[in-house]
Amino acid sequence: MRTLVQDVVYSHRFLRSRPGFTLAAALTLALGIGASTAVVAVLYAALVRPLPVVAPDRVVLVRETDVRRGVPYFACSRRTYTALGERDDLFDVVSGMYSRLANLGGIETPATVDTRQVDAGFFALIGVAPVLGRGFHADETRAGAPAPVVVLGNGLWHRQFAADPEVIGRVVSVDGQAATIVGVMPQMEAWLDADLFVPFQTIVTESQTRRMLLVFARRRADVPLVKARKAVQATAAELGAAWPESHGGWTIDLMPLSDVVVTQAARRHLRVLGGAVLLVLLVACANLTSLLLARAVGRRREMAIHTALGAGRSRLVRRLITEALMLAALGGGLGVLLALWGVDLFRRFGSGRFPRVDAADIGLAVLAAAAALTLAAGLAAGLL
């Protein structure tokens, strides 16, 4: 133990006495680890982490396309939504969603909030239970529902209600209409979350032809995507025959949810970014190796003096490893800080193109990988 303390003290003095070398080596290591860790965290969030819904590989976005103009709409009409909701031979659940701003009153500070008008199937689709209360019943999302109800988003619950657990049953005002709070949702990813969840309102329930609903569906486990696509195209043909003025010349397509949340273009950009940061890491390792080799050549006389004074080979190797580990700890610590800053940049400026990055975090696996990389670099530097 005593010799270990001596090695640490000596290594600290050595690194402090050579600030130029120490700073250059630590920054080289920090840039390599920081960039690679940040990008790995983003890649994991966008491409690897499962989507926060039940059976995400079977969830699709329904979109209608004007065949005559070749224009796809990432939204559907109420009539299409109703027709697909009756196809229980294809889907386990079909859910519609309409986003809009609303004025929230009945609270200390009235505010304009982001709302999601949804049906009861929304909560079944995502499979996330409210942390307090309940979701919507089917009769609460139909036109003319007698008792308007709302479910709070987690962020709004904390901001406006101070996370009060007694908020269930409280009456608020949504666009001047009284509504009872029946539930509070947990924190969810930004592309799915909202301040307030409300049942379908008049603008949705009375309009049958306006293409304004985002419609999601979960395929049955025994229905392949190809079969489901052919079936909904047949449904589109039936709708076109029945209502040619609003649905004639339109078709229906299904997009896997993973391609909607993170587009194929965004995936390509992320893969290119991953390759670029891997190259940066390799260059950083090569530069660090060159610095350490140059430093080792300059220490020949120092090593000869220690050997003449009786220091054995194992003692010299242990001292070199101690120096390298201290240098690696310094560079690794700076690297993790740079990684946190890098992920924050993605959150601020990249969430529009990479929606899931808004919820990205440097998880234990990524931190473990960075720590292992730091340790490996330190050991390699010590051996060199």
Side-chain angles (χ1 to χ4, degrees):
M1 183 66 182
R2 181 179 178 182
T3 57
L4 176 61
V5 173
Q6 290 175 345
D7 289 339
V8 171
V9 172
Y10 178 83
S11 299
H12 176 263
R13 289 176 180 172
F14 171 79
L15 294 175
R16 193 174 64 175
S17 66
R18 293 160 178 80
F21 164 77
T22 302
L23 183 62
L27 287 179
T28 299
L29 197 58
L31 288 173
I33 291 175
S36 59
T37 303
V39 172
V40 167
V42 170
L43 288 172
Y44 173 77
L47 304 180
V48 179
R49 190 172 61 213
L51 292 166
V53 297
V54 175
D57 58 314
R58 292 193 281 120
V59 177
V60 295
L61 171 72
V62 181
R63 66 177 186 178
E64 291 190 83
T65 299
D66 186 342
V67 178
R68 290 166 294 191
R69 294 190 298 163
V71 178
Y73 284 65
F74 286 86
C76 296
S77 66
R78 173 76 186 206
R79 189 167 285 155
T80 298
Y81 159 78
T82 302
L84 294 182
E86 297 171 352
R87 295 299 303 268
D88 54 7
D89 59 320
L90 299 176
F91 305 112
D92 289 330
V93 59
V94 175
S95 172
M97 177 192 301
Y98 175 69
S99 300
R100 64 183 295 269
L101 296 177
N103 296 315
L104 180 66
I107 55 178
E108 184 176 348
T109 306
T112 300
V113 296
D114 178 30
T115 70
R116 298 278 194 275
Q117 296 187 22
V118 300
D119 58 7
F122 172 78
F123 301 100
L125 178 77
I126 63 175
V128 177
V131 293
L132 292 177
R134 61 173 177 84
F136 300 139
H137 298 318
D139 58 349
E140 293 171 333
T141 62
R142 297 194 181 101
V149 294
V150 295
V151 172
L152 299 179
N154 199 269
L156 182 68
W157 180 47
H158 280 83
R159 291 195 311 272
Q160 293 285 359
F161 300 91
D164 182 8
E166 304 298 325
V167 73
I168 303 301
R170 181 170 171 176
V171 177
V172 295
S173 170
V174 181
D175 286 338
Q177 184 178 24
T180 303
I181 299 173
V182 296
V184 176
M185 294 299 291
Q187 187 66 45
M188 298 187 294
E189 293 188 8
W191 63 274
L192 190 62
D193 205 359
D195 292 324
L196 200 66
F197 296 90
V198 300
F200 279 162
Q201 296 180 345
T202 303
I203 192 171
V204 175
T205 55
E206 290 186 353
S207 176
Q208 293 292 321
T209 59
R210 289 180 60 187
R211 288 170 174 87
M212 56 193 297
L213 282 177
L214 280 177
V215 177
F216 297 94
R218 184 168 64 243
R219 292 182 289 110
R220 289 168 53 106
D222 58 345
V223 178
L225 180 59
V226 174
K227 178 181 177 181
R229 279 175 167 160
K230 291 181 179 179
V232 297
Q233 288 169 3
T235 299
E238 294 173 1
L239 291 173
W243 292 279
E245 70 287 349
S246 59
H247 289 75
W250 289 77
T251 188
I252 302 174
D253 191 19
L254 306 178
M255 287 185 63
L257 183 61
S258 57
D259 291 342
V260 176
V261 177
V262 183
T263 65
Q264 291 297 328
R267 291 170 186 270
R268 287 194 297 270
H269 294 158
L270 286 173
R271 293 188 182 103
V272 170
L273 183 60
V277 81
L278 177 60
L279 181 61
V280 170
L281 179 60
L282 293 176
V283 171
C285 290
N287 289 339
L288 181 60
T289 301
S290 299
L291 284 171
L292 292 169
L293 283 173
R295 186 70 263 172
V297 171
R299 299 182 68 184
R300 286 178 177 176
R301 185 169 179 273
E302 176 191 348
M303 294 296 105
I305 293 174
H306 283 298
T307 301
L309 292 174
R313 180 182 296 272
S314 61
R315 180 66 184 274
L316 294 178
V317 171
R318 188 169 66 243
R319 181 168 293 177
L320 290 173
I321 291 177
T322 303
E323 291 174 8
L325 288 176
M326 293 181 66
L327 188 62
L330 177 60
L334 292 174
V336 171
L337 292 178
L338 285 175
L340 290 169
W341 178 68
V343 171
D344 187 61
L345 285 181
F346 268 94
R347 287 176 174 172
R348 291 172 182 268
F349 304 111
S351 60
R353 298 185 68 182
F354 311 115
R356 302 205 74 200
V357 175
D358 192 53
D361 60 334
I362 300 184
L364 292 177
V366 178
L367 284 176
L373 178 61
T374 304
L375 182 59
L379 289 175
L383 293 176
L384 288 170

